Amino acid sequence: MSALPRGSTVRRDAGLYGYERALRRVGLDPIAGVDEAGRGPCAGPLVAAAVILPDGKRGQVPGLADSKLLTAKARDRCYEEVRKRALAWSVVAIEAPECDRLGMHVANVQALRRALFRLDVRPSYVLTDGFGVDGLGVPGLAIWKGDRVAACIAAASVIAKVTRDRVMEHWDKEYPQYGFGIHKGYCTPEHQAALDEYGPCPQHRRRFENVRRSLRPDMGQNVASPTGVESLPVSERSERTNNTAGPSAHAGAERSEVQA
């Protein structure tokens, strides 16, 4: 990943939209932000999103911030606003068994790439949160705590977080003993107590040491999924809005529901 192009600078007080403004001043537009949710939990999918916000007031999302700093209700509001206002957005999920096969870092990089490649609008520049991602096909910049300082990354973090939370709420109905609807698969004491009592379910990541420790001898390393549960479709979506339309006018089609 490269530094900001020559001639583009970002003041410390430039606000959440400062990076995009600086890049547009040197002719780089559209700009995509990518981010993921679910790298740290020991259960559930890894979800990544990519978002391109339009220039001007239409691209300024009310209340937008790093998804981790927002309440659940505020995230839901931002989620709907991002989907309405975005020039394009996409979200992909890599399920727990695939995370186990690839390892979390490789799964993370692949998820970010897939989200970017599924955008209906090809970006000229990409902003990523924390670390650079090779193989994106366009120049870009990794920003430390990018979801707090770049609007397009913050928007991607909201899409990824809300999508993943809703997936975990689905799994909470299938496996209520673990409390997925509360802790969303993170390694809380309550979650660990349930793991120790019941052992892991198909949504648990076997690469995590605490999950392996909870395997009972009669389980082996793999647990079969109940019928109809194994392939919960998390759509890989992208939507494009008309540049000249108002914030509520948007068109898009859901792509085929393919597991990432």
Side-chain angles (χ1 to χ4, degrees):
M1 304 290 272
S2 63
L4 283 173
R6 180 174 296 180
S8 57
T9 59
V10 181
R11 293 170 46 182
R12 290 187 179 182
D13 60 351
L16 196 60
Y17 298 86
Y19 275 92
E20 285 97 323
R21 285 196 297 268
L23 290 166
R24 288 184 179 113
R25 283 199 298 266
V26 295
L28 290 170
D29 194 40
I31 304 148
V34 292
D35 201 7
E36 92 289 325
R39 185 167 50 184
C42 65
L46 175 71
V47 177
V51 174
I52 298 176
L53 294 174
D55 193 9
K57 289 185 178 180
R58 181 168 157 235
Q60 296 179 9
V61 180
L64 181 63
D66 172 11
S67 63
K68 296 184 291 296
L69 302 179
L70 298 172
T71 65
K73 287 184 178 180
R75 278 196 301 269
D76 285 342
R77 288 194 296 269
C78 283
Y79 175 85
E80 296 301 333
E81 287 291 336
V82 169
R83 293 204 311 164
K84 287 193 301 183
R85 293 168 180 266
L87 187 66
W89 65 273
S90 67
V91 61
V92 302
I94 296 184
E95 300 296 340
E98 187 74 351
C99 290
D100 283 340
R101 186 182 71 81
L102 295 172
M104 289 311 302
H105 179 70
V106 174
N108 193 17
V109 171
Q110 285 202 14
L112 294 171
R113 287 176 182 158
R114 294 180 195 183
L116 184 71
F117 293 154
R118 285 188 171 271
L119 287 172
D120 285 342
V121 176
R122 179 176 172 80
S124 296
Y125 204 83
V126 180
L127 299 177
T128 62
D129 182 28
F131 63 92
V133 180
D134 294 331
L136 297 181
V138 293
L141 177 69
I143 304 174
W144 176 248
K145 294 189 181 297
D147 45 9
R148 300 189 183 190
V149 298
C152 56
I153 300 178
S157 79
V158 167
I159 293 291
K161 172 67 173 169
V162 171
T163 299
R164 188 180 188 280
D165 282 357
R166 292 177 180 179
V167 170
M168 296 311 295
E169 287 161 7
H170 166 89
W171 289 124
D172 185 55
K173 296 174 183 176
E174 299 290 341
Y175 305 104
Q177 66 269 38
Y178 298 103
F180 289 152
I182 299 171
H183 54 65
K184 306 301 189 291
Y186 283 88
C187 304
T188 65
E190 294 78 12
H191 188 183
Q192 188 59 51
L195 262 174
D196 294 340
E197 181 175 358
Y198 300 105
C201 77
Q203 295 308 311
H204 284 99
R205 301 172 184 174
R206 273 32 177 198
R207 275 181 177 257
F208 280 62
E209 177 61 28
N210 67 313
V211 175
R212 289 200 300 271
R213 286 199 311 267
S214 69
L215 281 165
R216 298 197 297 266
D218 59 319
M219 288 181 169
Q221 290 300 309
N222 295 295
V223 181
S225 299
T227 303
V229 172
E230 185 171 15
S231 58
L232 168 71
V234 178
S235 302
E236 298 188 356
R237 284 184 63 96
S238 62
E239 293 197 5
R240 176 185 296 175
T241 60
N242 186 329
N243 269 329
T244 60
S248 63
H250 66 285
E254 181 165 328
R255 296 187 176 186
S256 59
E257 293 184 334
V258 180
Q259 293 286 3

